[in-house]
Amino acid sequence: MTFNELKISEPILRAITEKGYSQPTPIQEKSIPVLLQGKDLLGCAQTGTGKTAAFAIPIIQQLLEDETRNKNHRKIKALIVTPTRELAIQIQENFREYSKYTDLRNTVIFGGVKQGKQTASLRQGVDILVATPGRLLDLIGQGFITLKHIEYFVLDEADQMLDMGFIHDIKKIIAKLPPKRQSLFFSATMPKSIVELSGKILGNPYKVTVKPEQATAEKVEQAVYFVAKADKPKLLEYLIIEKEADSTLVFSRTKHGADKIVRKLAKAKITAEAIHGNKSQNQRQRALSNFKSGKTKVLIATDIAARGIDVSELSLVVNYDLPNVPETYVHRIGRTGRAKASGVALSFCDIEERPYLRDIEKLIRQKVPVVNNHLYIDDRKESEYVKPEKKPQNHNRRKKTPGNKGNKNVWRRNKPKNKPKQS
Ligand code: AMP
């Protein structure tokens, strides 16, 4: 199937051809014709499948063909709500690129930054708005935005939205939408809470499920290194140098772990940056653009922070820690091998993580090849391994607070022995 056969209009076709899209991805093939007929859509798909274009192209096309367009010129007619700033920016960039040969205008709003630039852009009038929920409600409250002209509504990454506690915001936004509209709802997973939420938004939707999991796992060259926990930093250093990858995304299970990896690499004179939930929006954005532009070649990320990051031509993914949820592995390695490209994903597996590896292999229905000849190999058998006992916790210790360093005597020691005399 070609984009021509999908009846994409000329200005959009020209823009996507310039972007190098020669063929629609499966989700585009399934969704675009349905959306062009004005139907609601429930998409079980995640970033990496080409889903942004799957909704952006038909929205742009319908806006162009809309006869009432002149009446609502530069009023917000399409709204895309997405959980994070990174995703919002990415989606808006896609809209901008796909609509570059049209006169449609779009902008993006998100929290964590001053609102001045965003409200200035809104004042000029836009047709398409990409937003995170909090800032959207905030600017609606201040009177900068009205949703009464919305004809197209997209709720993106719904499961992540609920994970991040946005459910009340979402309900408030839905309540402000005109009833007559086309609605699209995307989620990587479909637990009961998500299905319920989708019922509140969608009429009788067309359902599309795209499972990038197996497909992605097959495209990516994978390998696992059995290594002791203590040797992981050295192995990472070695691989970064040996593989000479232009861009390496390293996954760490914890935020603290991510920072620690950055420090260890710095000692080996390898520049890396970390993105995770404890970093400010600005720090995250800076780290991400440095990585995208190639200024930083190594980015360390936690799963939540990395979800949805779209870095084209990401050459290497390293699972510094194996995730205990096997689906997470597939999401991670899907960061490389995007759309048509193929990539390499290397995983470090310490002896305690071997059960996680078995779960992953079950899910992807393939064995991950083991690298048997590396410098830091840990060839112990699981049966020989005895988990070290944890040191007993001393529950009598006082909790650390800024004024209390956890030592009972601090207060007494810091107290002045003699009260200064009043004169
Ligand atoms: P998304 O799932 O929307 O984040 O898209 C993932 C990546 O695939 C992005 O880098 C898109 O630019 C790219 N992409 C989307 N559609 C196509 C296509 N039809 N052909 C090639 N690349 C595409």
Side-chain angles (χ1 to χ4, degrees), residues 14 32 74 94 98 145 187 215 238 250 325 350 363 387 423:
R14 187 145 46 112
I32 293 176
R74 300 275 181 261
N94 282 342
Y98 305 148
I145 294 171
S187 188
Y238 166 76
V250 180
V325 177
D350 69 38
L363 176 79
K387 200 173 173 174
S423 55

Side-chain angles (χ1 to χ4, degrees), residues 3 19 21 23-25 28 47-52 310 338-339:
F3 281 109
K19 263 193 79 72
Y21 299 0
Q23 241 187 319
T25 65
Q28 292 162 5
T47 309
T49 54
K51 81 172 149 90
T52 316
D310 175 23
R338 278 276 162 115

Side-chain angles (χ1 to χ4, degrees), residues 359-383:
D359 289 345
I360 289 164
E361 291 181 329
K362 228 185 271 168
L363 176 79
I364 61 174
R365 293 199 215 111
Q366 53 177 288
K367 283 262 170 221
V368 182
V370 179
V371 181
N372 283 320
N373 54 355
H374 66 93
L375 287 172
Y376 305 103
I377 195 155
D378 179 5
D379 49 13
R380 283 176 296 171
K381 293 208 170 62
E382 265 177 282
S383 52

Side-chain angles (χ1 to χ4, degrees), residues 267-281:
K267 281 194 187 146
K269 306 242 175 325
I270 297 171
T271 314
E273 288 188 85
I275 56 164
H276 53 64
N278 285 359
K279 300 266 180 189
S280 70
Q281 291 267 28

